[in-house]
Amino acid sequence: MSVPLEHDYIGFSPPPAEETSMEKTGDIKPISALTMNMEATELRLGLPGSQSLQRDDNGSPELCIALPSCKSSVSRPKRGFYFAIHGGSGNWVFSSPDTNFSSPRNNPSAVANSESGQDGGLPNQSSPAPQPEKKNGQAAGPASKAQVVGWPPIRSFRKNTMASHPTPKNSDVMEGGDHHPQSGGSASSSSSSSSSDCLYVKVSMDGAPYLRKVDLKTYGGYKDLSLALENMFSCFTIGQCGSHGVAGGDGVSESRLVDILHGSEYVLTYEDKDGDWMLVGDVPWKMFIDSCTRLRIMKSSDAIGLAPRAFEKVQKQQLA
Amino acid sequence: MNYFPDEVLEHIFDFVGSHKDRNSVSQVCKLWYRIESYSRQTVFVGNCYAIGPERVAERFSGLKSITLKGKPHFADFNLVPPDWGGFVYPWIEAFARSRVGLEELRLKRMVVSDESLELLSRSFPNFKSLVLVSCEGFTTDGLAAVAAYCRQLKELDLQENDVEDHRGHWLSCFPESSTSLVSLNFACLKGDINLPALERLVARSPNLKSLRLSRAVPLDVLQRILIRAPQLLDLGVGSYLHDPDSENYNKLVTAIQKCKSVRSLSGFLDVAPHCLSAFHIICPNLTSLNLSYAPGIYDNELIKLIRHCHKLQRLWILDCIGDKGLEVVASTCKDLEELRVFPSDPYVGQAAVTEEGLVAISRGCQKLNSILYFCQQMTNAALITVAKNCPNFVRFRLCILDPTKPDAVTQQPLDEGFGAIVQACKGLKRLSLSGLLTDQVFLYIGMYAEQLEMLSIAFAGDSDKGMQYVLKGCKKLRKLEIRDSPFGNAALLMDVAKYETMRSLWMSSCEVTLGGCKALAKRMPGLNVEIINENDQMEFVGGCDDDRQKVEKMYLYRTLAGQRRDAPEFVWTL
């Protein structure tokens, strides 16, 4: 069977003859195009000592296929990869988790996936100003945890069953020694999962018809949280926030949050373990996670008295 | 052969078992068609809209058993709106009218109403076996009708159905005279069960071989059931919560020891894992173990259990087993043929297994031929190794939780890895892809996957070429389902005649347009081309619609029955 020649149709130059490492190299040695194309498609299952295009690690699996080297971020054509952020536990008040809120077809202003195909894409954004790409793993937290409709491909029966009877312990490595299993799988569908890796809290917004739930553990800090909340609730705010943050001298947290929601006259507050309502952003992130039991996006007018100093600051910035 | 009397031909055809072979036999000549048709007792209809029930009843007058599948596969993942179709009622009604001697009904992804169950139970006096998989639309009242009126019922098998539970009196509807039960599976029910009725039923069913209990059945009842039914081959434990020092537990241990025939174990829907040692005694006999609904079993208890299961051929497990646990499986279960690893928490987006677990399994389990593996990451190197170790895959389904994730080590697409799989596994019939994939992987699939019958694609490919490679190369392709991939009209229309050789094609969130679908429908009248237009995404503006609109969901299938009449408003058949 003749091999079609267009092997670099995904934009790669012909690969070098000898692939000494799998690291991405900018320079590519020129080689006979025809030879390389043949070898690029020829699959060999890595018998040691055969042919030149292999790494010679003793015993370890060998990649016998000459992969064209590429730049670290491949610019890929759009895939139509959209996110429907439907929340971890599917715990919506009125709609079914199936509803796709953020199809790119319905929302032309959404930046569906674009440049960051490699790390799973960005959450759908309705603000026209494009977000800077999130390169680090932490900031990709909300993106990678956002749910795509029908993904992962698990039967809904199984999904629903596992959701209402969550894993008592989320362990991925067998730890030796004593381990106290909790008696029985937890049969309750509690609002915060008993798994150590999840911390779901309810988020309400004044005036919104339904609540949301977010997993605080998926966010690296206040920045990520506020971004995610903005995405979730932006459909309810009157004004959109285009600009992002005055770099506050006293930390990213407080001023950014207030700014993001500032244009819509809301502030973000949380209820702590003592039942008090606090302004989000005062304490270090870790402390916040440990004490937060629910979030509320409150109208600024109601927030008077929560943290007077902070509120004055807001007013100052408003006037500036 | 033509000089043999009909009865001899019929007798010879009895030895022809598979549907494919019988279909071939029926096409040899008219005589063979006639004889094969009236002698065929088991009919398989892969798409309930491909043919009408009247025609089936007419052709196969000796029909006793029928398997029907309804919704497209992606309906399992909420991609098909609830009212799309797949109703079984017309089938039951037509068969009742035609006086088909129906004995067995097996349904998958169909809508089953209580009315249809009632009609079923009253229309077929010899009815023996009802198997419902991933169905919906019925309640325990429907089950009550089946229990009450199917006097010869042997098998009631409910797998992962969405059943509205009106609280369990249905079990007491089995008449006291009914002693024929061989298989009873109600594990998917969520409500309470009439426990005394269950115990009495088991007590009067000496032929009971398979019993799968729901969560509502507690330990003491389990123990009493096992005492009554030590002949069980297949056991699904419901609830397994108890105090290890209790009398009940001791009795259970005794009861389990008598169950020497159990070969298949599942359930443990609620479990106290430190008491699993009671089951260690039957583990060495097990060939099938399904703990995929038992998140309460993990770590040491899980490993201990598995270490006893030397003869396991099929294992369904949650990913909390981890890579290390899979190594234990690899070293213990040398006869393993089928493995499924499900994510413990699908919403978190983290899986606890990686490519290392898969490689370990491939090294240890040479007989492996079927895998479904949800994992956090994968590498080309791992897939190449797996292909080398296990060339016997018939079903290979890999799901990386982040659907476009590249090779975790090299950041390359996973084309080469999957390419190695299709090249090595000459008998591969079913393949599901995930991870970062370019058109290259489809080139490989088209080149090497000669036996491929079902292919599932999500978030993959770069251009129409990808889909074209597949359509051109995979001669035996029957089902193709694609979502969120950049394939458009050029691919769709490349070889329209091919779709009549296939059962169905699903494309959602791709680049095909209304115009392309219309062109296809026009050229191929033997296909139903359905556009699923939920949320009014597409518009007819004053009778004239924009053909350039992209189609969100398209499902096409070959059919002899023409356009279906039960399609809801949001489904347009072109």
Side-chain angles (χ1 to χ4, degrees):
Chain A
M1 186 189 301
S2 69
V3 175
L5 287 178
E6 67 261 337
H7 290 306
D8 58 350
Y9 51 76
I10 45 178
F12 296 152
S13 324
E18 201 108 39
E19 195 99 64
T20 49
S21 80
M22 297 313 294
E23 280 157 0
K24 297 123 199 171
T25 57
D27 295 85
I28 294 155
K29 294 182 214 145
I31 196 91
S32 151
L34 192 59
T35 327
M36 277 332 299
N37 285 338
M38 291 295 292
E39 281 166 322
T41 52
E42 193 185 338
L43 288 178
R44 277 161 280 139
L45 296 181
L47 295 176
S50 60
Q51 301 249 331
S52 58
L53 295 169
Q54 54 180 290
R55 268 191 307 164
D56 222 330
D57 299 327
N58 290 338
S60 61
E62 292 147 347
L63 275 176
C64 278
I65 294 121
L67 295 175
S69 27
C70 62
K71 306 197 191 78
S72 58
S73 76
V74 181
S75 73
R76 311 189 49 76
K78 192 147 79 138
R79 293 169 165 280
F81 178 32
Y82 60 83
F83 283 105
I85 304 174
H86 71 85
S89 59
N91 207 2
W92 281 357
V93 173
F94 76 101
S95 71
S96 78
D98 311 339
T99 311
N100 174 13
F101 270 60
S102 320
S103 162
R105 308 259 166 75
N106 287 339
N107 200 354
S109 67
V111 178
N113 57 326
S114 60
E115 288 75 36
S116 62
Q118 296 257 6
D119 70 352
L122 299 169
N124 202 340
Q125 302 151 27
S126 50
S127 76
Q131 284 290 318
E133 277 187 34
K134 305 277 162 115
K135 292 284 190 210
N136 57 63
Q138 259 203 343
S144 58
K145 306 292 183 174
Q147 301 286 327
V148 180
V149 173
W151 193 271
I154 303 174
R155 274 194 189 158
S156 27
F157 177 86
R158 181 179 287 277
K159 249 186 181 162
N160 295 338
T161 307
M162 298 303 282
S164 46
H165 301 275
T167 327
K169 182 186 186 304
N170 220 357
S171 69
D172 55 352
V173 176
M174 182 181 70
E175 306 277 4
D178 289 330
H179 172 75
H180 275 293
Q182 300 165 21
S183 64
S186 60
S188 64
S189 49
S190 48
S191 63
S192 65
S193 162
S194 47
S195 157
S196 57
D197 277 6
C198 290
L199 185 52
Y200 281 99
V201 297
K202 288 187 187 171
V203 186
S204 62
M205 176 164 171
D206 292 356
Y210 52 85
L211 281 64
R212 300 297 298 265
K213 261 195 176 171
V214 294
D215 177 2
L216 291 180
K217 296 257 165 133
T218 66
Y219 305 113
Y222 288 114
K223 223 194 240 175
D224 297 339
L225 174 64
S226 68
L227 188 65
L229 290 179
E230 183 197 3
N231 288 336
M232 269 190 196
F233 286 96
S234 54
C235 46
F236 301 121
T237 58
I238 305 157
Q240 298 288 346
C241 305
S243 66
H244 302 288
V246 174
D250 48 346
V252 165
S253 46
E254 183 189 309
S255 56
R256 178 171 173 84
L257 278 171
V258 171
D259 276 327
I260 287 294
L261 300 167
H262 171 68
S264 322
E265 303 168 0
Y266 289 91
V267 290
L268 183 59
T269 63
Y270 72 102
E271 187 179 15
D272 71 357
K273 291 200 165 131
D274 302 324
D276 299 321
W277 286 94
M278 322 276 288
L279 191 70
V280 170
D282 288 334
V283 299
W285 175 252
K286 281 258 172 327
M287 198 187 296
F288 165 68
I289 294 190
D290 285 338
S291 55
C292 172
T293 59
R294 57 184 299 176
L295 289 162
R296 179 175 162 201
I297 303 175
M298 202 181 245
K299 287 199 165 68
S300 317
S301 42
D302 294 337
I304 296 172
L306 262 185
R309 182 181 67 83
F311 194 68
E312 275 164 22
K313 203 173 193 190
V314 168
Q315 293 201 306
K316 270 191 209 147
Q317 282 159 356
Q318 207 169 4
L319 296 168
Chain B
M1 286 279 275
N2 281 345
Y3 304 115
F4 290 168
D6 291 357
E7 300 82 39
V8 176
L9 279 177
E10 198 181 318
H11 181 67
I12 295 174
F13 292 166
D14 275 349
F15 292 97
V16 179
S18 85
H19 302 293
K20 275 195 191 129
D21 290 341
R22 288 201 76 115
N23 288 341
S24 308
V25 159
S26 70
Q27 287 176 348
V28 167
C29 63
K30 280 195 184 148
L31 176 68
W32 283 33
Y33 178 91
R34 194 170 50 82
I35 297 176
E36 195 284 318
S37 295
Y38 71 64
S39 63
R40 193 188 307 204
Q41 294 185 339
T42 308
V43 174
F44 173 83
V45 179
N47 173 8
C48 66
Y49 289 118
I51 187 150
E54 298 81 9
R55 263 183 92 158
V56 173
E58 198 190 359
R59 175 175 169 187
F60 302 110
S61 49
L63 183 96
K64 290 208 172 110
S65 158
I66 186 158
T67 304
L68 292 172
K69 293 192 182 179
K71 300 187 196 181
H73 176 231
F74 276 174
D76 277 347
F77 319 132
N78 295 333
L79 288 179
V80 176
D83 304 325
W84 174 85
F87 306 104
V88 77
Y89 189 85
W91 286 83
I92 298 179
E93 195 198 26
F95 283 3
R97 257 185 289 120
S98 310
R99 301 191 190 285
V100 170
L102 194 65
E103 295 186 14
E104 179 176 283
L105 183 63
R106 309 170 75 96
L107 305 177
K108 188 168 185 181
R109 277 191 293 271
M110 292 198 74
V111 178
V112 181
S113 60
D114 284 346
E115 289 76 33
S116 24
L117 290 177
E118 273 164 44
L119 184 60
L120 174 76
S121 62
R122 291 188 194 273
S123 309
F124 307 106
N126 288 332
F127 192 75
K128 295 191 174 65
S129 168
L130 180 64
V131 179
L132 303 178
V133 180
S134 282
C135 296
E136 52 167 0
F138 60 103
T139 76
T140 44
D141 295 343
L143 296 179
V146 172
Y149 302 120
C150 298
R151 294 302 165 102
Q152 308 219 16
L153 195 68
K154 281 186 171 174
E155 179 177 21
L156 179 60
D157 185 359
L158 307 172
Q159 297 177 29
E160 298 187 326
N161 300 293
D162 191 7
V163 185
E164 200 180 299
D165 209 312
H166 291 171
R167 299 290 174 261
H169 78 282
W170 64 278
L171 265 176
S172 42
C173 292
F174 281 100
E176 291 301 319
S177 55
S178 120
T179 57
S180 50
L181 215 52
V182 173
S183 167
L184 179 63
N185 173 8
F186 59 92
C188 65
L189 295 186
K190 302 185 194 92
D192 292 330
I193 291 289
N194 186 334
L195 298 170
L198 174 64
E199 287 187 53
R200 286 198 301 273
L201 180 62
V202 172
R204 64 176 185 275
S205 304
N207 299 319
L208 194 65
K209 293 281 189 292
S210 168
L211 181 63
R212 296 194 183 186
L213 308 169
S214 72
R215 188 173 254 118
V217 182
L219 190 88
D220 55 326
V221 177
L222 172 67
Q223 174 260 319
R224 286 197 288 276
I225 285 176
L226 290 180
I227 296 281
R228 300 277 198 181
Q231 77 281 3
L232 281 178
L233 298 179
D234 170 20
L235 173 64
V237 175
S239 174
Y240 196 70
L241 296 173
H242 52 77
D243 175 3
D245 295 324
S246 69
E247 186 63 25
N248 271 332
Y249 179 67
N250 294 330
K251 285 191 198 166
L252 178 72
V253 172
T254 318
I256 293 177
Q257 279 169 356
K258 300 223 168 77
C259 296
K260 300 207 193 301
S261 313
V262 172
R263 296 282 170 272
S264 166
L265 187 61
S266 62
F268 295 98
L269 309 172
D270 283 322
V271 55
H274 45 290
C275 301
L276 282 174
S277 44
F279 280 92
H280 290 178
I281 193 166
I282 58 171
C283 285
N285 297 330
L286 291 181
T287 56
S288 167
L289 180 61
N290 180 355
L291 298 177
S292 65
Y293 282 102
I297 305 180
Y298 49 87
D299 282 356
N300 288 336
E301 295 303 328
L302 177 57
I303 300 300
K304 269 196 276 180
L305 195 72
I306 297 218
R307 282 205 199 277
H308 285 92
C309 301
H310 311 285
K311 291 201 196 149
L312 222 50
Q313 294 169 11
R314 175 171 14 161
L315 177 62
W316 290 24
I317 200 91
L318 290 172
D319 67 352
C320 51
I321 193 172
D323 288 333
K324 292 273 186 292
L326 288 176
E327 282 174 30
V328 175
V329 173
S331 62
T332 312
C333 310
K334 293 301 184 192
D335 289 336
L336 197 66
E337 296 180 20
E338 176 183 336
L339 175 67
R340 297 196 188 189
V341 181
F342 294 95
S344 324
D345 193 339
Y347 293 105
V348 174
Q350 294 274 348
V353 293
T354 70
E355 76 277 10
E356 291 178 11
L358 185 60
V359 171
I361 290 284
S362 76
R363 286 208 182 101
C365 308
Q366 303 290 319
K367 297 188 189 173
L368 200 63
N369 62 45
S370 170
I371 188 151
L372 170 61
Y373 195 73
F374 286 84
C375 57
Q376 185 64 17
Q377 62 185 45
M378 188 48 58
T379 65
N380 283 313
L383 286 173
I384 291 171
T385 305
V386 169
K388 223 190 317 176
N389 292 338
C390 294
N392 298 320
F393 277 118
V394 172
R395 282 176 291 277
F396 190 90
R397 296 197 278 163
L398 187 72
C399 176
I400 304 169
L401 286 194
D402 179 354
T404 55
K405 195 163 186 176
D407 182 317
V409 168
T410 66
Q411 304 305 316
Q412 300 287 328
L414 288 173
D415 302 333
E416 305 304 322
F418 280 104
I421 295 284
V422 292
Q423 194 193 26
C425 303
K426 308 242 182 278
L428 193 68
K429 288 191 178 171
R430 181 168 180 183
L431 178 64
S432 297
L433 308 168
S434 65
L436 186 67
L437 295 164
T438 72
D439 285 344
Q440 184 79 352
V441 72
F442 299 111
L443 175 69
Y444 293 145
I445 292 174
M447 271 171 74
Y448 296 112
E450 289 169 10
Q451 301 298 321
L452 196 66
E453 295 181 2
M454 181 169 177
L455 180 62
S456 307
I457 302 170
F459 307 103
D462 307 308
S463 73
D464 286 327
K465 288 211 186 81
M467 185 171 162
Q468 287 170 338
Y469 289 139
V470 171
L471 291 175
K472 219 182 330 185
C474 299
K475 300 280 181 247
K476 298 207 177 170
L477 196 64
R478 292 190 300 118
K479 285 181 282 183
L480 181 58
E481 46 186 26
I482 307 172
R483 64 165 292 182
D484 294 276
S485 301
F487 307 136
N489 294 338
L492 180 69
L493 298 171
M494 181 192 77
D495 178 6
V496 294
K498 175 141 180 107
Y499 302 129
E500 269 197 350
T501 69
M502 292 168 51
R503 186 189 297 175
S504 64
L505 168 68
W506 167 280
M507 291 182 79
S508 60
S509 303
C510 297
E511 303 290 315
V512 293
T513 67
L514 185 56
C517 296
K518 282 185 179 174
L520 174 58
K522 195 162 177 197
R523 279 200 257 169
M524 300 295 294
L527 301 177
N528 275 355
V529 180
E530 292 188 7
I531 310 291
I532 298 172
N533 183 30
E534 47 181 350
N535 305 330
D536 283 325
Q537 282 156 357
M538 307 185 64
E539 293 153 12
F540 275 127
V541 179
C544 150
D545 40 291
D546 185 1
D547 283 356
R548 287 163 303 171
Q549 291 177 86
K550 289 208 188 131
V551 168
E552 190 59 37
K553 293 179 185 176
M554 179 206 72
Y555 179 55
L556 66 83
Y557 51 91
R558 66 179 174 192
T559 179
L560 296 173
Q563 193 170 351
R564 60 184 174 111
R565 278 157 294 171
D566 62 1
E569 265 182 22
F570 54 81
V571 172
W572 305 342
T573 307
L574 298 178

